[in-house]
Amino acid sequence: MRLSCPICGERDRREFHYGGAALERPAPEAGAAAWDAYLHLRENPAGRSRELWYHESGCTAWLVVERDTVTHEIHGVTLAAGGR
Amino acid sequence: MRLKTGGLIDRGTALRFRFDGHDYTGFRGDTLASALLANDIRVVGRSFKYHRPRGVFSAGSEEPNALVTIGRGAGAEPNVRATMQELRADLEARPQNCWPSLHWDLLEVNDWASRFIGAGFYYKTFMWPRKFWEWVYEPAIRRAAGLGALSGAHNPDRYEKAYAHCDLLVIGAGPAGLMAALTAAEAGADVILADEDALPGGRLNGERATLDGGAGSDWAAAAVARLRAMPNVRVMARTTVTGVYDQGTFGALERVGHHLDDRPRGLPLECFWRIAAKRAVLAAGAIERPVAFAGNDRPGVMLAGAVRTYLNRYGVAPGRRVAVFGNTDEAHRTAADLVAAGVHVTALIDARPDARSTLSVPFYPGGVVTGAEGRLGLESVRFEAGGRSQGVMADCLAVSGGWNPNVHLTCHLNGRPVWDDGIAAFVPAPGAVPGLIPCGAAAGVFSTAGCLADGARAAAEALGGLGLTAPDLPQPEAEDAPYRIRALWAVPGKRRAWLDLQNDVTVKDVRGAAQENFRSVEHMKRYTTQGMAPDQGKTSNLAALAVLADATGRGIAQTGTTTYRPPYTPVAIAAMGAGAQGKGFAPERRTTSDQASRKRGAPMIEAGLWYRPSYFPKGGERTWRESCDREVGWVRNAVGVTDVSTLGKIDIQGPDAGAFLDFVYTGTFSTLKPGRVRYGIMLREDGHVMDDGTTACLGEGHYLMTTTTAAAGPVMRHLEFVAQVLRPELDVQMVSVTEQWAQFAVAGPGSRDFLNGVLDAPMAEGDFPFMACGEVSVMGVQGRLFRISFSGEHAYEIAVPARYGDALFRALVTRAEGMGGGAYGMEALNVLRLEKGLLTHAEMHGRVTCHDLGLSGLMSSRKDYIGRAAAARPGLVDPERERLVALHPVGIEKRLLPGAHLFAHDAPAVREAAEGYVTSACHSPTLGHPIALGFLKSGPERLGETLRMVDHLRGVETWCVVRPLCSYDPKGERTRG
Amino acid sequence: MRFSALRILSEGLTGNRGWRPHWRDPEPKSEYDIVIIGGGGHGLSTAYYLAREHGLRNVAVLEKGYLGGGNVGRNTTIVRANYFLPGNSEFYSHSLKLWEGLEQELNYNVMHSQRGLINLFHSDGQRDAFARRGNAMVNQGDDAELLDRDGVRKHLPYLDFDNIRFPVYGGLLHRRGGTARHDAVAWGYARGASDRGVDLIQNCEVTGIDIANGRVTGVQTTRGAIRARKVAIVVAGRSGQVAAMAGMRLPIESHVLQAFVTEGLKPAINHVVSFGMGHFYISQSDKGGLVFGGDLDFYPSYAQRGNLPMAEHVMEAAMTLMPMIGKAKVLRSWGGIMDMTPDGSPIIDKTETEGLFLDCGWCYGGFKAVPGSGYSFAHLIATGRHHAPAAKFRLDRFRTGAGLMDEEGTGAQHNLH
């Protein structure tokens, strides 16, 4: 499996660390249900998924990866921090 | 029998080899299989279940019968296909799965009992008495099962792994692959051409058909030579592409050393390649399939294409009187080659009633073989033709049931091949693997001309995707015969007809499975073990599917197909795991004090990837405890030095660094003044403790965080996550400086005096109070000093750039020894922290909260931080939770053991009564008795209570009393003083 | 039809013509008392115990593919009861007791072989953690023995004791741990359930769950609508998709776990052995293949296949631990889709919809749980009350934080288990 890091280019999967579904962190006072959803409940789609990956053995950028969980096709990779 | 002339072998180089204890001779260019056939060796192995005698069946990696063990001693290799093992000088091969000998095998009784031990019989018996399964039945089954044997010794051979990258990977170097590679190479693409065979060329090396009027093998050799001469092409012979993975990643196994008479030292036996290719062309050819009929497993029954290969490539006639049976023109081609080689063809049997032959051999159109006879080798063949059953003498029967395109690799990403009625075979599903284009025989194109054209077409398509233009290469003249097949899978009959030769699966087994309702392909496969043997059913899966389809009244396409998974051919664990044997499994990290520590005799133990000294033995000490107690005494009474460089060190800078730290720690760090250090706890977002450590403020917006050794990596990843994903608006940057700084703890009541002798400018009265930090000059080197303590003593940590670490450590230890102290190791470090009730990951084991550790006070209520919301869940603040306490022994038996469980004083030691467990324990030389830390339900509320500690495993049962966490200097006067 | 040696003999002498289907292939009826979605190991054992323990026979198992085609057919066949946290401890203990005697109960040889399992440890810290685990196992009434280095050497003389990167300090021996023939477990339960009247419907995919006024009323399938008073979801690997038909979102992320088998070899490894410093566990099947596996590929996947990095890691671990198997050749690899829960422990619970039950989240521990899960789930479906050994497998534990069973201590990120 290979991923294209926007900074480093295409690299082998073993340079990266998967870091969970790309979700919005709730506000501190959002309540138990919102926190439960953020921490535990997952869409877990069989198909297109938005995920966070970390280019751990590369530039250390956190990436938002759009990926298909059935075919493993990668539709897009962007920097999680945006243009920074 | 070796033919007088012909073949691509080097008749000038004779090679001696040994098989089953006898010496034989072959030629360079032979495989073990061709050399055995040349020496008229017919029985080469025994089948898995019925121990039937078996002979060479194919000429390639699909071989189901001729599996042998190569070599002796530690490096002996079982289950080697004789068809793939190139002959080399003094090769030694042994047959497998037979006892006492290949020709007299005791377990042949299984064959006589076959009616009782058909597919799945073992699911129906061996159930009584219950204990007999492990004691009697299973050991007997295990001894009988298996094929070859491992040597039992550590692998003595070198294997390697490597990466390769290319524009285009061409898999297979037959006519299609060679044309594809030539086309892409001429277009300027970076090409890798991988071929399983030692001699690229595919079927061109096994056929008499000509290209441009010359021998096909000559054309192939010229094409390969041309490719090898091009700088943008790598031709990898003896390289099997074994697996397809995502985004154009391929696994490939190169057999580097198996064929060499003398393997140079350092040259690996095999190399496992990871190939990243932008595009790929699958030109893997096709595998011929047999037809099932009674006794079709006799030694001498062989695939027709293999017979031609042995004739044309190796100059070997697999028999003296050969019968040929087929359902396509392959049979005629085989008979013609035999005739041309001067071999007597006793019958040409073609299942197609409308077939014609111009050969002067006995010809039987519309005929089928109904039986093969001969126990240790084929003697005669029975067949039916024109409504008449007749027999013919034959010591070899060439069989062809048609060709199956090699679709295996197109299934590795879950592609399902599609049925093509025209060729009665499965072909690759379009787009099964993104970027991989099947062509030639692998795509169901069977004529040589068709393959050449299709290879060029596939390359052009791949080049288009790469932005390159395909050149118009001239195509050689070649045969372009149509492929006409009458599908034939199994000839009806009462006797056993084999499908899977290796696992001994017969037509009856598949029909029986259907009768018992194992009607899905997967059920049939799993019930009968069809296709599960080392050949992975390459020659048999489709016929089994066809028999199942027939038994269940469905079409083949409707019945489905079995899917193929990597690897295409078996790959040695040593190849895919190359480099890891011994110490190579993980990097070895060494501190700057490593050499000096080893020189002092310290046993170095693994701490994650690091090595750290366990203790520093002194003359006269007999046990590690004595050394440890002495080192603890040094720290408590004088001064000790230890290397703490393995702790993670993260340099954090930026205007928002303080706010950032406030968000990752439970406590507040933005108020920390330059020159000050603070202890912090970091939670995971789920509210449990992730790590602890100190963070020093080195200046305005500049912090140095320390982590535990184990958590250094995960914490760094976590901080980057917070900075980039959760709080991108914060202006903060961080970098790990763990390896840039060597850091040593200097601990003990004498540590201030000690340091003042080391620092270029001694500390003034009042300088560096507890939890202070600052820049210092140590023996002319700019360093950092932190007044922190993990021992409970007045202590410092002094850091210098790593290149000075070794020198500083030696200087510190020498000086400490002059003051009645010295170096201390991990054991003493652990005792010191346990006496103080300080934490390691034995306590922060991932399931605990601040509350459990007695650190709720560190959780700020005035800000948001990671884990705050989840830590407030009712289950995480329940006072009944197991919480950390210290334990001291009472009574006579004074052993406290980590891992022991805690119970109320009189409670039974069962799960329902368990109230906690011991996490860490040691003998405290300071207190003169053992101490421990442990988690106990409502622990801090039970101080003074006597508990029962039970360790079933080590047979220890004792009583202990619950104590506050800190057993030494609870007010911290020594630390601060 | 009862299976026995005598039956094999008599069938063999009469041409093996009398063997009958191991299970019936009925057409689905329009209504059942209970519909079980999922014909894998857990679904089939649930059906079996509903019929056997509770006398409920108007039951259908709906399977979208073939019976036993899920993770029960793609695992490393290990059976053990070596958990240490309350909740898991009693459940796996109960499940192992069901395994012991399963052949006789089902009249089907599932080849459960208690060949002994050894978890190796490589540091003092790991030894302490394994001691805690072993003591918890004995507290529970199961067996455990702590071996030192020499003790391990006696059982596993072929390990590399001299040159290994992470030396072996010792091991935790669980003598009752072992392996079983995975497919046979599914078939044995299928046959037992079918014989007791349960309808096993293959090639029948559930496309919708019918709910009216907060009560489940049936399911929609590719073979028509089926009414039911109770519906049980047991679809490891697809739990999220099926639960979504009932409007639920689950605490589950699906990950792939690879496993490998080598060519057949004469006996080389007698135990189940697991490495403590990398992801590698191995046993040898009765057919002679070395069966081994490692860790998740660590990205969500429904593809039932893995990638090279984890495959290589597993084989590297094999080479450092037992270089004796270097010349064994890997024949096949496969991937199972794991329902990964936040704490790595399963869920057997009711849902907010009356009559709808959920059994999922087995992570990579599902195979050994097949008997226990079916038994406890059947109890819950039949009686409406949690079965004591599985009473802690609640869905709400994540929301409340009470009773989390995080054996690996890695926390709520699904990918970290």
Side-chain angles (χ1 to χ4, degrees):
Chain A
M1 178 182 274
R2 295 171 73 75
L3 273 174
S4 278
C5 170
I7 294 171
C8 308
E10 192 189 275
R11 297 297 177 90
D12 193 89
R13 182 263 177 274
R14 59 195 97 202
E15 292 188 10
F16 299 88
H17 168 88
Y18 167 73
L23 305 169
E24 277 300 310
R25 185 177 186 266
E29 63 285 350
W35 276 98
D36 182 35
Y38 174 66
L39 283 168
H40 307 122
L41 303 182
R42 293 291 177 266
E43 289 297 331
N44 196 25
R48 271 204 190 208
S49 159
R50 268 187 97 236
E51 304 164 346
L52 293 167
W53 290 70
Y54 178 47
H55 197 182
E56 187 152 33
S57 310
C59 61
T60 72
W62 276 87
L63 311 171
V64 176
V65 176
E66 286 221 29
R67 200 177 59 92
D68 192 301
T69 59
V70 177
T71 63
H72 296 173
E73 188 183 352
I74 290 162
H75 296 290
V77 184
T78 55
L79 293 175
R84 208 174 66 116
Chain B
M1 177 183 71
R2 185 78 69 180
L3 298 170
K4 293 247 166 9
T5 58
L8 306 175
I9 46 173
D10 172 9
R11 290 181 190 255
T13 311
L15 299 171
R16 274 165 58 89
F17 69 102
R18 181 169 262 257
F19 174 72
D20 196 18
H22 300 279
D23 288 330
Y24 302 98
T25 308
F27 294 118
R28 178 83 65 208
D30 263 326
T31 60
L32 176 59
S34 69
L36 287 169
L37 288 170
N39 284 283
D40 293 324
I41 310 295
R42 311 191 70 192
V43 182
V44 295
R46 291 275 171 168
S47 68
F48 178 79
K49 185 171 173 182
Y50 300 132
H51 288 250
R52 306 251 304 177
R54 292 287 168 79
V56 174
F57 187 70
S58 75
S61 64
E62 69 272 30
E63 175 62 32
N65 287 345
L67 265 58
V68 297
T69 298
I70 299 284
R72 278 199 180 274
E77 183 166 345
N79 300 346
V80 176
R81 288 141 189 76
T83 50
M84 295 302 289
Q85 173 65 52
E86 292 168 63
L87 203 63
R88 60 168 196 252
D90 302 319
L91 181 79
E92 180 173 5
R94 286 174 288 150
Q96 308 181 146
N97 204 34
C98 50
W99 188 87
S101 80
L102 182 58
H103 289 90
W104 289 103
D105 182 2
L106 208 61
L107 275 175
E108 206 172 332
V109 295
N110 285 358
D111 196 34
W112 306 335
S114 67
R115 63 165 77 177
F116 305 113
I117 60 172
F121 81 99
Y122 32 72
Y123 298 124
K124 301 168 183 166
T125 182
F126 303 135
M127 289 180 270
W128 297 98
R130 189 161 91 76
K131 276 286 161 201
F132 268 40
W133 176 249
E134 279 95 343
W135 292 352
V136 180
Y137 304 132
E138 191 181 37
I141 291 171
R142 287 169 81 89
R143 272 198 302 276
L147 289 165
L150 292 169
S151 72
H154 297 338
N155 164 55
D157 289 312
R158 186 181 165 80
Y159 289 75
E160 272 181 6
K161 282 199 277 197
Y163 287 99
H165 300 258
C166 62
D167 293 330
L168 181 69
L169 170 65
V170 179
I171 302 163
L178 286 171
M179 254 336 259
L182 286 168
T183 306
E186 292 291 346
D190 182 5
V191 176
I192 291 179
L193 173 62
D195 192 78
E196 185 173 48
D197 207 318
L199 185 68
R203 287 301 312 163
L204 295 178
N205 292 328
E207 305 286 3
R208 284 190 308 138
T210 57
L211 263 74
D212 277 345
S217 56
D218 288 346
W219 183 87
V224 170
R226 192 169 137 204
L227 287 165
R228 282 208 162 109
M230 296 174 80
N232 55 328
V233 179
R234 280 163 281 178
V235 178
M236 298 174 71
R238 300 187 178 89
T239 303
T240 308
V241 174
T242 56
V244 180
Y245 304 89
D246 288 310
Q247 279 86 35
T249 308
F250 295 82
L253 184 73
E254 182 182 4
R255 304 188 307 283
V256 182
H258 290 289
H259 63 291
L260 298 175
D261 297 342
D262 291 301
R263 185 153 43 96
R265 248 184 102 74
L267 191 77
L269 207 50
E270 296 175 0
C271 178
F272 184 76
W273 289 89
R274 287 74 58 98
I275 302 174
K278 295 193 180 102
R279 290 286 186 283
V281 164
L282 179 69
I287 291 178
E288 200 168 14
R289 62 199 189 206
V291 176
F293 51 82
N296 63 331
D297 68 326
R298 305 273 182 212
V301 178
M302 194 182 287
L303 290 171
V307 169
R308 295 200 301 280
T309 297
Y310 288 117
L311 286 172
N312 301 325
R313 176 168 171 182
Y314 300 106
V316 169
R320 286 171 170 76
R321 283 174 303 189
V322 183
V324 181
F325 172 38
N327 58 346
T328 64
D329 291 342
E330 298 296 288
H332 301 256
R333 193 182 293 179
T334 309
D337 284 8
L338 285 162
V339 170
V343 180
H344 179 42
V345 176
T346 56
L348 169 57
I349 304 157
D350 190 328
R352 299 171 300 178
D354 58 347
R356 298 279 175 277
S357 172
T358 53
L359 296 169
S360 52
V361 298
F363 176 54
Y364 305 94
V368 290
V369 171
T370 54
E373 304 302 334
R375 198 178 78 86
L376 292 174
L378 186 69
E379 289 161 10
S380 66
V381 171
R382 286 213 72 75
F383 62 98
E384 268 177 26
R388 227 160 51 89
S389 175
Q390 44 196 310
V392 64
M393 300 299 277
D395 55 2
C396 172
L397 173 65
V399 184
S400 176
W403 291 84
N404 291 334
N406 249 327
V407 300
H408 302 65
L409 295 180
T410 68
C411 299
H412 287 186
L413 299 190
N414 295 353
R416 288 294 173 117
V418 290
W419 180 251
D420 181 339
D421 236 356
I423 59 169
F426 284 101
V427 294
V433 172
L436 178 136
I437 305 154
C439 70
V445 176
F446 290 147
S447 78
T448 311
C451 284
L452 292 164
D454 206 36
R457 188 252 338 144
E461 190 184 330
L463 290 169
L466 293 165
L468 296 169
T469 313
D472 208 6
L473 293 189
Q475 232 187 77
E477 277 295 309
E479 63 84 20
D480 198 13
Y483 183 73
R484 241 169 25 84
I485 184 166
R486 177 190 171 90
L488 177 64
W489 311 103
V491 178
K494 284 199 170 152
R495 288 163 54 210
R496 281 179 297 164
W498 269 258
L499 295 165
D500 187 327
L501 291 168
Q502 208 156 44
N503 262 354
D504 275 328
V505 180
T506 65
V507 171
K508 269 187 194 172
D509 287 325
V510 173
R511 292 192 176 278
Q515 178 186 333
E516 295 190 89
N517 211 1
F518 291 89
R519 296 160 56 94
S520 133
V521 183
E522 286 292 332
H523 279 156
M524 178 275 285
K525 193 177 91 180
R526 288 156 188 264
Y527 191 64
T528 62
T529 73
Q530 162 66 39
M532 304 266 204
D535 69 334
Q536 292 160 305
K538 287 193 175 68
T539 58
S540 61
N541 275 348
L542 188 52
L545 182 65
V547 171
L548 179 69
D550 182 55
T552 55
R554 296 173 291 187
I556 291 176
Q558 193 192 351
T559 306
T561 174
T562 58
T563 187
Y564 298 95
R565 302 187 179 283
Y568 172 68
T569 51
V571 179
I573 291 173
M576 275 184 91
Q581 193 171 343
K583 303 277 192 224
F585 175 64
E588 298 183 281
R589 298 180 81 178
R590 297 179 194 278
T591 60
T592 58
S593 65
D594 190 86
Q595 271 192 342
S597 299
R598 286 176 198 266
K599 212 167 164 197
R600 285 170 180 275
M604 302 299 280
I605 53 168
E606 297 76 18
L609 298 178
W610 292 98
Y611 287 95
R612 301 185 75 177
S614 187
Y615 54 95
F616 292 85
K618 281 253 184 272
E621 288 169 349
R622 281 156 304 159
T623 66
W624 67 268
R625 256 284 303 283
E626 286 179 55
S627 309
C628 172
D629 288 357
R630 167 180 48 75
E631 291 170 12
V632 170
W634 280 352
V635 174
R636 291 279 176 245
N637 302 311
V639 64
V641 175
T642 196
D643 192 330
V644 291
S645 309
T646 62
L647 273 73
K649 297 181 278 292
I650 301 170
D651 196 289
I652 301 171
Q653 299 189 35
D656 295 328
F660 174 75
L661 289 170
D662 284 350
F663 192 63
V664 295
Y665 275 127
T666 62
T668 304
F669 280 73
S670 52
T671 55
L672 193 64
K673 298 276 182 294
R676 297 294 297 169
V677 184
R678 194 165 282 171
Y679 175 76
I681 285 272
M682 218 178 263
L683 302 185
R684 297 188 309 238
E685 192 70 281
D686 72 347
H688 294 85
V689 173
M690 175 158 72
D691 199 34
D692 72 343
T694 58
T695 287
C697 183
L698 301 178
E700 213 50 61
H702 184 192
Y703 298 84
L704 184 73
M705 172 187 285
T706 64
T707 73
T708 57
T709 301
V715 166
M716 188 68 205
R717 178 194 301 157
H718 174 70
L719 297 184
E720 290 283 12
F721 171 78
V722 173
Q724 296 179 41
V725 181
L726 299 183
R727 304 295 301 273
E729 78 283 4
L730 295 180
D731 189 355
V732 59
Q733 299 290 336
M734 65 212 68
V735 66
S736 165
V737 293
T738 305
E739 285 169 351
Q740 278 66 31
W741 291 87
Q743 192 154 322
F744 305 100
V746 177
S751 58
R752 195 170 180 94
D753 287 348
F754 173 90
L755 274 175
N756 275 337
V758 177
L759 299 176
D760 295 338
M763 292 176 268
E765 185 70 26
D767 275 2
F768 286 95
F770 184 54
M771 299 303 260
C773 68
E775 305 251 319
V776 289
S777 175
V778 219
M779 295 183 280
V781 172
Q782 199 63 23
R784 291 167 177 170
L785 190 65
F786 308 87
R787 170 80 190 278
I788 52 179
S789 174
F790 195 57
S791 58
E793 295 300 331
H794 186 118
Y796 301 83
E797 289 187 9
I798 185 164
V800 291
R803 62 186 178 280
Y804 302 112
D806 177 48
L808 181 60
F809 180 76
R810 289 172 199 267
L812 290 177
V813 172
T814 309
R815 188 176 160 74
E817 284 168 347
M819 291 179 64
Y824 65 101
M826 295 290 287
E827 295 294 348
L829 192 89
N830 192 43
V831 171
L832 292 162
R833 70 101 188 172
L834 282 174
E835 289 176 345
K836 282 296 289 179
L838 299 170
L839 308 176
T840 68
H841 279 288
E843 288 75 37
M844 297 182 291
H845 55 47
R847 289 173 292 270
V848 300
T849 64
C850 279
H851 173 69
D852 300 341
L853 297 171
L855 297 172
S856 314
L858 294 181
M859 298 168 80
S860 168
S861 56
R862 293 191 298 273
K863 58 166 185 126
D864 183 22
Y865 56 86
I866 296 283
R868 177 176 172 173
R873 286 182 287 173
L876 269 65
V877 294
D878 185 347
E880 302 266 298
R881 282 178 70 94
E882 291 171 345
R883 291 154 67 193
L884 194 64
V885 290
L887 302 162
H888 289 190
V890 291
I892 301 157
E893 170 76 79
K894 290 198 191 305
R895 278 178 80 190
L896 298 177
L897 288 169
H901 286 237
L902 303 171
F903 304 89
H905 189 271
D906 297 321
V910 297
R911 176 185 47 88
E912 291 81 354
E915 297 210 61
Y917 54 95
V918 178
T919 57
S920 312
C922 69
H923 173 79
S924 163
T926 315
L927 303 176
H929 61 75
I931 56 169
L933 298 184
F935 284 98
L936 176 67
K937 280 184 181 165
S938 308
E941 293 153 34
R942 298 168 69 173
L943 299 183
E945 185 179 331
T946 302
L947 301 172
R948 188 175 172 216
M949 186 210 82
V950 179
D951 190 316
H952 301 287
L953 303 182
R954 287 166 285 201
V956 174
E957 179 171 347
T958 184
W959 277 265
C960 56
V961 63
V962 182
R963 298 291 302 261
L965 271 179
C966 182
S967 303
Y968 176 75
D969 184 28
K971 293 196 177 132
E973 285 160 348
R974 297 179 69 90
T975 318
R976 291 164 202 281
Chain C
M1 174 186 280
R2 261 199 91 67
F3 291 154
S4 65
L6 201 65
R7 172 75 70 176
I8 288 177
L9 199 67
S10 69
E11 281 298 333
L13 293 171
T14 56
N16 286 308
R17 282 188 293 266
W19 296 114
R20 294 210 304 271
H22 288 208
W23 52 82
R24 297 171 292 114
D25 250 339
E27 283 300 309
K29 295 191 287 189
S30 62
E31 183 166 4
Y32 290 93
D33 290 342
I34 301 168
V35 159
I36 296 168
I37 308 175
H42 292 236
L44 292 168
S45 68
T46 301
Y48 173 79
Y49 289 114
L50 276 173
R52 187 179 182 282
E53 296 295 314
H54 306 279
L56 297 170
R57 284 145 198 261
N58 189 18
V59 175
V61 176
L62 309 183
E63 167 55 49
K64 79 169 173 181
Y66 59 95
L67 296 178
N71 288 340
V72 75
R74 46 184 81 243
N75 58 70
T76 45
T77 78
I78 298 169
V79 176
R80 58 188 165 93
N82 63 347
Y83 287 69
F84 72 100
L85 292 178
N88 284 331
S89 206
E90 57 266 37
F91 173 81
Y92 288 103
S93 180
H94 177 243
S95 194
L96 182 55
K97 289 195 185 87
L98 292 173
W99 276 105
E100 293 168 331
L102 198 58
E103 282 91 354
Q104 292 71 33
E105 154 133 21
L106 295 177
N107 179 232
Y108 210 92
N109 190 354
V110 302
M111 303 181 198
H112 177 218
S113 170
Q114 296 186 297
R115 43 205 324 99
L117 175 150
I118 298 177
N119 291 111
L120 298 169
F121 50 80
H122 309 264
S123 68
D124 289 342
Q126 282 193 334
R127 182 201 53 222
D128 295 348
F130 273 114
R132 179 187 172 195
R133 176 181 298 271
N135 278 314
M137 290 158 69
V138 179
N139 285 345
Q140 173 59 38
D142 294 317
D143 73 286
E145 291 164 50
L146 203 62
L147 304 177
D148 60 11
R149 187 179 160 86
D150 287 334
V152 171
R153 201 189 281 267
K154 256 178 230 150
H155 289 278
L156 314 173
Y158 49 80
L159 299 185
D160 187 347
F161 286 94
D162 305 318
N163 193 34
I164 183 173
R165 172 68 177 84
F166 297 105
V168 174
Y169 278 46
L172 185 69
L173 169 62
H174 174 36
R175 288 187 191 269
R176 286 163 66 230
T179 57
R181 170 78 183 101
H182 56 349
D183 292 320
V185 177
W187 302 338
Y189 275 117
R191 175 165 165 267
S194 179
D195 283 354
R196 284 170 175 77
V198 173
D199 282 358
L200 308 177
I201 320 283
Q202 305 188 73
N203 301 310
C204 178
E205 183 172 357
V206 169
T207 54
I209 295 175
D210 299 330
I211 297 167
N213 305 321
R215 252 208 86 85
V216 76
T217 58
V219 294
Q220 300 292 323
T221 80
T222 49
R223 294 174 70 173
I226 299 174
R227 289 191 301 281
R229 293 195 299 112
K230 294 177 181 176
V231 172
I233 302 175
V234 210
V235 289
R238 285 281 166 175
S239 299
Q241 278 74 40
V242 177
M245 295 175 193
M248 297 170 68
R249 207 151 56 119
L250 297 181
I252 282 176
E253 200 169 86
S254 299
H255 284 253
V256 64
L257 181 69
Q258 296 190 69
F260 310 87
V261 64
T262 69
E263 300 173 337
L265 296 159
K266 293 296 175 194
I269 292 179
N270 194 39
H271 301 74
V272 182
V273 184
S274 86
F275 183 39
M277 287 303 291
H279 300 283
F280 173 66
Y281 40 89
I282 187 166
S283 66
Q284 186 167 14
S285 78
D286 288 341
K287 258 191 83 184
L290 304 179
V291 180
F292 58 100
D295 210 340
L296 301 176
D297 263 27
F298 290 116
Y299 47 81
S301 174
Y302 288 90
Q304 293 195 328
R305 59 183 175 82
N307 271 291
L308 277 175
M310 186 48 70
E312 290 179 33
H313 170 85
V314 168
M315 303 206 208
E316 285 165 5
M319 287 311 289
T320 192
L321 183 64
M322 44 178 81
M324 175 269 285
I325 66 168
K327 292 212 182 323
K329 298 190 203 78
V330 174
L331 183 58
R332 260 194 325 277
S333 59
W334 62 92
I337 303 306
M338 310 288 122
D339 277 1
M340 298 309 297
T341 61
D343 66 354
S345 291
I347 295 161
I348 297 181
D349 209 345
K350 304 176 198 178
T351 66
E352 288 179 2
T353 303
E354 182 77 25
L356 184 66
F357 300 85
L358 191 61
D359 182 321
C360 63
W362 290 95
C363 300
Y364 28 58
F367 177 65
K368 62 188 165 289
V370 164
S373 167
Y375 196 99
S376 294
F377 196 35
H379 185 279
L380 177 68
I381 296 165
T383 68
R385 294 186 307 277
H386 286 91
H387 184 232
K392 293 198 171 71
F393 293 162
R394 300 299 180 91
L395 194 49
D396 68 357
R397 66 180 186 267
F398 306 107
R399 186 169 48 74
T400 65
L404 294 171
M405 288 162 280
D406 186 359
E407 296 259 340
E408 295 186 19
T410 47
Q413 273 182 280
H414 297 75
N415 54 305
L416 289 182
H417 291 286

